[in-house]
Amino acid sequence: MENEIKTKVIGINVTSSVTLIALVDIRGNILAKDTLKTTDYPNVNGFVEALAEHIMLLSEANGGYQTIRSVGISAPSANFVTGCIENAPNMPWKGIIPLAAMLRDSIGLAVALGNDAHVSALGESVYGYAHGMNTFIIVTLGRKGVGSGFFSYGQPHLGTDGFAGEIGHCCIDVNGRPCNCGRKGCLERYVSIQGILQTAREMLEQTDHPSLLRSAGELTIEQLKTCADQGDELAREVWNVAGTTLGISLANYATVVNPEAVILTGVLLEHAKWMMAPMEKSFYDSLFHNIRSTIRLLVSPINNSDRDVLGASVLAWKVKEYSLFK
Ligand SMILES: [Zn+2]
């Protein structure tokens, strides 16, 4: 049929390790998924070629390529305004990467690219707790980084250059740990998985307190949780420090934005049981008093692997339809 409405989009989540590709229908059902290893493609041209091939195969196996409306991509340091990944500190491709234009030229469909944290906020606003909220903050606690985006009066606040909400690169210690962004003491060096493990290693070095962590070999976040579960004081203190640090930063952020909620997401939360109480305490203790009684601190109900592809699918619906095959 001429001008038939297309009811499916592709949502893609690019991270430094894995890229998840999902076929999503108009109701937000994930119909099919595929992955590729981002680390297999040190050259971005090879990555785009592989991505295009995976999109074709996924589409052909699920109703045909002609049924796909558009593509949305979530990526670190991506700029919705330019469609480029710009100087991503944790990615294999350096400089300015025009990923949206490259993929559009390769597959002949409209492609929108958004910053991972902003895309998470989009997913949360359509499919999560932020549904119906006008002003809210999303903070993603990841393996290496901490991302964030926020909506104001029902609209994503992108900022003049598309980089609003970079709480992970707000400085909490001018003489602190070096960050991949080139500065020192950024929040994400302390409350990402890598940052928390570094705190644990430093505490182990600085004291001679007995701890189960001392026999853990190369420390992992799973071990840090397990040791805290078993009553290990040093492990619990690591979580305590991380939670307190994060709570204060979230309170500062919320005091500036005055949102209905701060919603937490990200892979760290799968292990962070012992961080939650100190985080919540320091958050409410540090908030501006006039907003303390209304604001909610929540953990997203959407699972981590689905949220970003769902958010990317929302982004795909926002881009104007375009097809070389019409
Ligand atoms: Zn930084």
Side-chain angles (χ1 to χ4, degrees):
M1 195 190 298
E2 277 290 304
N3 294 324
E4 196 170 358
I5 292 285
K6 295 180 177 177
T7 56
K8 286 181 267 182
V9 295
I10 300 278
I12 299 170
N13 183 36
V14 181
T15 74
S16 56
S17 52
V18 176
T19 295
L20 181 61
I21 306 154
L23 184 69
V24 185
D25 74 8
I26 203 163
R27 309 284 296 264
N29 299 306
I30 296 175
L31 305 174
K33 283 186 200 177
D34 196 2
T35 56
L36 54 92
K37 275 174 84 176
T38 316
T39 43
D40 283 348
Y41 304 94
N43 184 312
V44 73
N45 293 311
F47 176 73
V48 171
E49 213 170 285
L51 195 55
E53 199 179 311
H54 281 253
I55 291 170
M56 291 289 187
L57 291 173
L58 197 64
S59 308
E60 288 306 328
N62 293 279
Y65 189 64
Q66 72 286 353
T67 66
I68 308 297
R69 182 190 179 275
S70 49
V71 178
I73 310 175
S74 160
S77 302
N79 189 329
F80 175 75
V81 181
T82 62
C84 299
I85 294 178
E86 302 187 2
N87 307 310
N90 300 325
M91 295 297 286
W93 321 304
K94 301 305 170 198
I96 309 286
I97 309 293
L99 188 63
M102 290 171 81
L103 188 63
R104 186 197 62 188
D105 290 349
S106 175
I107 62 173
L109 291 175
V111 179
L113 175 71
N115 177 289
D116 49 5
H118 295 165
V119 173
S120 271
L122 265 184
E124 201 65 37
S125 73
V126 175
Y127 299 114
Y129 282 150
H131 195 89
M133 289 186 187
N134 280 315
T135 300
F136 65 91
I137 292 171
I138 299 278
V139 174
T140 304
L141 304 164
R143 200 158 288 283
K144 293 178 180 173
V146 173
S148 172
F150 64 101
F151 270 52
S152 182
Y153 298 106
Q155 293 298 318
H157 182 94
L158 301 177
T160 307
D161 300 302
F163 287 107
E166 283 286 2
I167 182 78
H169 295 284
C170 286
C171 180
I172 61 163
D173 180 357
V174 283
N175 296 311
R177 298 171 187 169
C179 181
N180 288 342
C181 75
R183 295 175 308 139
K184 282 184 176 172
C186 291
L187 179 67
E188 72 176 31
R189 303 317 305 154
Y190 299 84
V191 299
S192 60
I193 288 179
Q194 272 190 357
I196 292 170
L197 292 176
Q198 188 168 346
T199 303
R201 286 192 294 269
E202 285 174 7
M203 278 193 192
L204 286 167
E205 271 171 32
Q206 286 159 7
T207 70
D208 51 10
H209 289 311
S211 169
L212 298 167
L213 296 172
R214 293 193 189 279
S215 51
E218 195 177 338
L219 200 58
T220 65
I221 203 73
E222 289 84 358
Q223 287 166 335
L224 192 61
K225 178 183 175 292
T226 309
C227 290
D229 286 343
Q230 290 167 359
D232 189 90
E233 276 180 28
L234 199 137
R236 287 197 187 173
E237 183 55 18
V238 173
W239 287 115
N240 192 24
V241 168
T244 305
T245 305
L246 179 60
I248 294 170
S249 288
L250 295 179
N252 288 341
Y253 193 0
T255 298
V256 172
V257 175
N258 186 196
E260 289 162 72
V262 175
I263 303 171
L264 302 173
T265 72
V267 67
L268 170 62
L269 294 174
E270 292 164 18
H271 313 282
K273 172 184 150 196
W274 292 96
M275 185 184 81
M276 303 312 269
M279 175 192 70
E280 203 164 347
K281 181 176 188 317
S282 77
F283 176 73
Y284 284 105
D285 285 353
S286 312
L287 270 178
F288 179 56
H289 63 284
N290 279 342
I291 66 171
R292 198 177 294 146
S293 62
T294 56
I295 195 164
R296 290 152 125 176
L297 183 59
L298 303 168
V299 172
S300 169
I302 315 176
N303 89 47
N304 286 319
S305 82
D306 287 350
R307 178 182 318 94
D308 296 323
V309 286
L310 283 176
S313 77
V314 176
L315 196 63
W317 290 106
K318 288 182 178 295
V319 70
K320 191 171 181 298
E321 200 173 338
Y322 156 92
S323 175
L324 281 180
F325 306 103
K326 270 208 156 165

